[in-house]
Amino acid sequence: MAHRKRCVSSVVAVLAATACGLQLPGTAATGAEDQTAATLQASDDTTRAQPLQLVREVFSYRGAGRDPFRSLVTSGGMVRPFLEDLRVTSIYHDPRYSARSVAVLRDLSDGKRYDVRVNDQVGRMRVAEIRPYEVVFMIEDFGVPRQEVLSIRRREGRSP
């Protein structure tokens, strides 16, 4: 029984060594085995030289005007606010770094206030650009995108 265990363990050792590409003492290597061992050594060197890069998937959710768990069928398919109901009340425009620009919108139907930045979602609309005196929205209707612009209302006698 002990002899059988030694034979099995030596066979397992030989198989493991050949699977890893190692040459056992007392055995001669052929040309193909030498080439395979050199390829494995070269691939190990390149993987050691390059640092391991981890890629993380990132998700961010900015709340929109609609509850995502409320059915569109029961709500009549209406996603508020509509462009016609919105008014631009103020704009902070940063010309050097556009991601810092903020526009304040007011929904005239219910009085709700929206502080929006570029790429924010308001109902069915996405803020595409904030300019010094206007906000550009991208609206997608049945797969066809279009742009709409809301301008800030200037008072009389005020120059830009």
Side-chain angles (χ1 to χ4, degrees):
M1 188 66 152
H3 177 64
R4 179 182 268 176
K5 284 184 182 179
R6 272 189 268 141
C7 285
V8 169
S9 64
S10 62
V11 168
V12 169
V14 169
L15 289 175
T18 55
C20 293
L22 300 176
Q23 183 177 353
L24 295 175
T27 61
T30 64
E33 290 172 350
D34 286 339
Q35 187 177 10
T36 305
T39 305
L40 287 174
Q41 181 65 29
S43 67
D44 285 344
D45 291 341
T46 57
T47 56
R48 282 189 213 131
Q50 297 173 354
L52 180 65
Q53 293 181 347
L54 297 176
V55 179
R56 178 178 288 187
E57 183 176 352
V58 178
F59 175 79
S60 76
Y61 173 73
R62 293 186 180 187
R66 183 182 86 77
D67 181 7
F69 298 105
R70 199 167 109 206
S71 172
L72 287 174
V73 175
T74 59
S75 66
M78 295 175 46
V79 180
R80 298 206 57 98
F82 296 119
L83 185 67
E84 298 82 29
D85 295 334
L86 291 177
R87 295 291 177 259
V88 180
T89 58
S90 60
I91 293 177
Y92 169 74
H93 181 257
D94 189 350
R96 285 184 276 159
Y97 188 61
S98 64
R100 284 193 259 184
S101 298
V102 178
V104 178
L105 309 172
R106 176 80 56 190
D107 187 353
L108 298 177
S109 63
D110 62 2
K112 190 172 180 181
R113 175 181 154 171
Y114 298 95
D115 299 337
V116 295
R117 290 182 164 79
V118 175
N119 291 328
D120 280 355
Q121 193 80 19
V122 180
R124 299 181 309 127
M125 304 170 286
R126 183 182 59 83
V127 179
E129 185 180 355
I130 297 177
R131 298 177 185 158
Y133 295 101
E134 57 193 15
V135 180
V136 180
F137 290 98
M138 284 296 280
I139 304 171
E140 190 169 324
D141 289 325
F142 305 108
V144 179
R146 62 184 168 98
Q147 283 189 352
E148 293 288 334
V149 178
L150 278 181
S151 299
I152 192 167
R153 293 187 179 201
R154 298 184 199 164
R155 295 187 188 127
E156 295 296 322
R158 185 176 164 195
S159 62

